[in-house]
Amino acid sequence: QVHLVESGGGLVQAGGSLRLSCAASGMIRSINYMGWYRQASGKQRELVADITRGGSTNYADSVKGRFTVSRDNVKNTVYLQMNSLKPEDTAVYYCNAEIRQIGSLTTSNYWGQGTQVAVSS
């Protein structure tokens, strides 16, 4: 069994910063892709940023230059540093990872439970 647990969400004023963390635990052999998605009220879930095991990153246009995704492959943890936050960044942020479990020949996709980020104007 594999679990993803996010932390670091909260309420912040516009222009402020937050750092989200997502730790994967369980019978993990390797983690390929790790990413952050968000879902605002009444909207579809969208990709925010992702990072490969080798460190290649990808960002949504709306967060480029403000958010930074990173990972610690030893701790099986992915981070999202969010700076210059805007009210439109308000959403539930979800961690996503493609994980190969010990004893498995294939990978599976996992989601965290989500953490709320609220940005006040």
Side-chain angles (χ1 to χ4, degrees), residues 5 7 11 21 23-24 28 32-33 36 39 45-46 53 63-64 66-67 76 84 87-88 91 94 97 100 106 109 118:
V5 179
S7 61
L11 174 63
S21 299
I28 297 171
N32 299 334
Y33 160 100
W36 290 96
Q39 187 167 18
R45 191 172 298 189
E46 62 177 2
R53 183 173 181 82
V63 307
K64 283 181 180 177
R66 301 188 296 123
F67 291 11
N76 289 334
S84 302
E88 51 262 44
Y94 296 91
R100 181 181 172 189
T106 60
N109 196 258

Side-chain angles (χ1 to χ4, degrees), residues 24-101:
S25 63
M27 303 293 285
I28 297 171
R29 179 175 180 83
S30 63
I31 302 178
N32 299 334
Y33 160 100
M34 301 188 85
W36 290 96
Y37 288 72
R38 66 186 181 187
Q39 187 167 18
S41 180
K43 295 188 177 181
Q44 289 189 328
R45 191 172 298 189
E46 62 177 2
L47 173 68
V48 176
D50 59 33
I51 183 168
T52 67
R53 183 173 181 82
S56 296
T57 58
N58 177 49
Y59 295 92
D61 288 342
S62 60
V63 307
K64 283 181 180 177
R66 301 188 296 123
F67 291 11
T68 302
V69 62
S70 61
R71 63 188 283 176
D72 184 327
N73 291 330
V74 174
K75 295 182 178 180
N76 289 334
T77 299
V78 63
Y79 305 95
L80 185 68
Q81 178 65 45
M82 305 185 293
N83 298 329
S84 302
L85 282 160
K86 304 176 181 179
E88 51 262 44
D89 294 317
T90 295
V92 178
Y93 284 69
Y94 296 91
C95 174
N96 178 256
E98 184 181 274
I99 297 173
R100 181 181 172 189
Q101 292 193 64

Side-chain angles (χ1 to χ4, degrees), residues 11-15 85-87 90 118-121:
L11 174 63
V12 64
Q13 289 188 330
L85 282 160
K86 304 176 181 179
T90 295
V119 184
S120 62
S121 57

